[in-house]
Amino acid sequence: MNIDLKRFVQQLEALQGRLDRLYQHIDTSNCKSSLLPSAFKELGIASEELQVAMEELLVQAEESAAMQIKLAAERQRYQDLVEFLPSACLETDTNGKITQANRAAAKMLNISKRFLVGKPLDIFLIKSDRRKFPAKLIEIQQRNVKQEWIAQIQPRQGEPLEAALTVTPDCNLENQPIRLHWIVQDISDRQQALRELNRNHINLYQDRPRHVYHKGETVSLQPQIIWLVCQGVLKLSTFSESGDEIILGLAGKSICFGSRMTSLPICQATVLSETAELVGISLTEISASSELSNSLLPHINQRLQQTEFLLAIAGKRQITDRLHCFLSWLKEEFGQPTKEGTRLTIRLTHQDFANACCTTRVTITRLFSQLQQQGKISFDAQRHLVLRE
């Protein structure tokens, strides 16, 4: 491209010289029209302006070429850096097909790099995780944020290993994911250590009295008690200044909650299932036992992760996106596979959905009606929601 521009500038310079010479030899006294010299003069001026423009364009093209060379060098440096990272790095399209992989990925999966490209990532997962992969891809693109997923990798002709898959969407100008970047880390040793630690942990449910509550009842949140769910589901909520309910979470089995776990002035727990069984653990007992504190940490972590996800849902601009994400989360947390689809084991009112999605009950009713007409949801004989997607 630069050679063509230089040649064009040279041709313009030659043309300019010919015009100058032609204009100098014009005998204006013999011209039948006085316009001819003026025309030559105007043509010469235009030629000069065009030549200047082309020279500027040539400079810009050279600067652009230099920038392209610099970017190519930076890109190569980045690729070289990724190539020799100790962690397995892969790039896939939004359907999970591998487009790039580094040496560590090829080594982990026990397959040559050139044979990795073009293969679906999920063929290197064990069967149970492979079934979850399509739903995980949908969730990644809907949430459009960095996520971590624990799964079991199945290398070619090797033993399965536990891995942490960290995935980051790469988006276009419209903030739509166009590719996915994966970092896969072998955590088999770490998981084994955790299992050993868990075996030494205290059984939080053993030798503790169980408190039974029934649907619609409210659990008393005593300041010195942390409640741990053994069975059933409870709705955790607070209220705005105008009296509107705000859902903070849904506490299922192994989720803990209590007034000391929130700074909100008003917080209540209402039983959603037919019955709920809880055990209470006093803060005095927790403070006195490091083993008990360590045993509670995973349960507290579950509660925090749930809160973060509900916050992410509330942050979405479109109401339809909020509802879709909330339904996907309910499907994963409380879904039961049936012939008709995935049945939610808990029943939420339209107002509950509205509170969780930061909208009105009327809007939720209208959206549910549309989803029913599209065949995406239905209700069984007990009025439990069934997701068909």
Side-chain angles (χ1 to χ4, degrees):
M1 179 178 176
N2 291 344
I3 295 175
D4 292 340
L5 284 172
K6 289 179 179 178
R7 185 181 297 119
F8 191 40
V9 170
Q10 291 171 357
Q11 291 174 347
L12 281 175
E13 290 174 346
L15 176 61
Q16 178 65 36
R18 290 175 61 190
L19 287 172
D20 289 340
R21 289 192 297 273
L22 185 61
Y23 182 73
Q24 291 172 2
H25 289 83
I26 291 176
D27 186 357
T28 56
S29 62
N30 296 327
C31 290
K32 295 182 179 180
S33 173
S34 60
L35 295 177
L36 187 57
S38 299
F40 272 114
K41 185 175 181 180
E42 291 296 329
L43 186 58
I45 293 171
S47 174
E48 289 177 356
E49 293 176 349
L50 182 58
Q51 181 178 343
V52 171
M54 289 305 301
E55 287 174 349
E56 292 177 353
L57 184 59
L58 179 59
V59 172
Q60 292 176 6
E62 290 174 345
E63 291 176 350
S64 177
M67 181 60 69
Q68 290 294 330
I69 293 172
K70 184 177 179 181
L71 289 175
E74 287 294 323
R75 189 182 301 112
Q76 186 61 50
R77 191 170 71 87
Y78 169 76
Q79 290 177 346
D80 291 342
L81 182 64
V82 172
E83 178 67 15
F84 294 100
L85 281 176
S87 298
C89 299
L90 302 109
E91 180 184 279
T92 70
D93 60 17
T94 53
N95 295 317
K97 184 178 292 186
I98 298 172
T99 54
Q100 290 188 51
N102 70 349
R103 292 186 180 185
K107 182 178 180 181
M108 174 182 284
L109 301 176
N110 198 27
I111 183 172
S112 173
K113 278 177 57 179
R114 60 194 182 96
F115 293 123
L116 268 178
V117 175
K119 285 184 169 53
L121 179 58
D122 60 346
I123 68 171
F124 297 102
L125 301 175
I126 64 170
K127 188 176 294 185
S128 58
D129 287 326
R130 195 181 306 157
R131 287 196 293 265
K132 301 175 185 177
F133 193 68
K136 181 60 65 174
L137 284 178
I138 293 173
E139 180 189 345
I140 290 168
Q141 295 180 59
Q142 287 174 345
R143 295 178 65 182
N144 202 11
V145 293
K146 180 179 177 180
Q147 298 182 51
E148 184 174 291
W149 181 36
I150 305 298
Q152 291 200 51
I153 297 292
Q154 177 64 69
R156 183 67 58 87
Q157 298 178 345
E159 293 296 321
L161 56 90
E162 292 182 276
L165 288 78
T166 304
V167 55
T168 306
D170 185 11
C171 301
N172 58 18
L173 294 177
E174 287 75 34
N175 203 32
Q176 297 296 321
I178 54 176
R179 64 181 68 88
L180 304 173
H181 297 291
W182 302 79
I183 297 178
V184 185
Q185 294 178 299
D186 184 354
I187 58 170
S188 300
D189 293 340
R190 188 174 78 187
Q191 293 296 94
Q192 181 62 31
L194 284 175
R195 282 190 287 270
E196 291 292 335
L197 185 63
N198 288 333
R199 275 196 282 270
N200 297 325
H201 272 202
I202 297 172
N203 187 338
L204 297 171
Y205 304 100
Q206 190 175 5
D207 300 328
R208 295 182 186 277
R210 298 201 175 194
H211 302 260
V212 179
Y213 294 85
H214 299 280
K215 186 172 184 177
E217 289 185 338
T218 301
V219 178
S220 174
L221 300 184
Q222 302 172 32
Q224 295 301 316
I225 294 292
I226 294 293
W227 290 108
L228 184 64
V229 182
C230 308
Q231 181 182 323
V233 181
L234 298 93
K235 176 177 65 175
L236 308 179
S237 58
T238 186
F239 293 89
S240 66
E241 294 180 356
S242 59
D244 296 324
E245 185 181 33
I246 302 170
I247 292 183
L248 302 174
L250 299 176
K253 184 177 180 179
S254 79
I255 296 288
C256 59
F257 62 91
S259 62
R260 293 296 294 270
M261 293 179 64
T262 177
S263 61
L264 297 171
I266 302 174
C267 185
Q268 70 177 26
T270 307
V271 179
L272 289 178
S273 50
E274 293 301 321
T275 60
E277 294 184 7
L278 314 176
V279 295
I281 307 173
S282 72
L283 293 179
T284 303
E285 186 181 358
I286 295 171
S287 300
S289 171
S290 59
E291 291 84 1
L292 181 57
S293 300
N294 290 335
S295 298
L296 272 173
L297 281 177
H299 305 277
I300 295 173
N301 186 51
Q302 281 184 275
R303 177 79 181 88
L304 291 174
Q305 288 177 340
Q306 186 183 110
T307 301
E308 285 184 346
F309 189 76
L310 292 175
L311 280 172
I313 290 175
K316 290 187 174 294
R317 293 185 179 181
Q318 300 296 325
I319 296 174
T320 52
D321 291 340
R322 282 180 242 152
L323 178 59
H324 192 279
C325 286
F326 188 55
L327 288 173
S328 297
W329 178 75
L330 290 174
K331 179 180 179 180
E332 185 175 336
E333 295 291 324
F334 305 102
Q336 181 184 64
T338 65
K339 293 181 180 179
E340 292 75 23
T342 303
R343 175 182 181 269
L344 298 185
T345 56
I346 59 171
R347 286 177 55 185
L348 296 174
T349 66
H350 285 199
Q351 188 61 57
D352 288 332
F353 277 98
N355 294 338
C357 297
C358 305
T359 185
T360 63
R361 182 186 57 80
V362 174
T363 300
I364 291 295
T365 302
R366 176 175 56 81
L367 292 175
F368 272 175
S369 177
Q370 291 176 0
L371 292 173
Q372 278 186 282
Q373 291 174 5
Q374 295 167 5
K376 294 181 178 180
I377 65 170
S378 62
F379 293 90
D380 65 8
Q382 289 76 40
R383 298 300 297 167
H384 281 261
L385 186 64
V386 178
L387 305 175
R388 294 184 173 180
E389 289 186 323

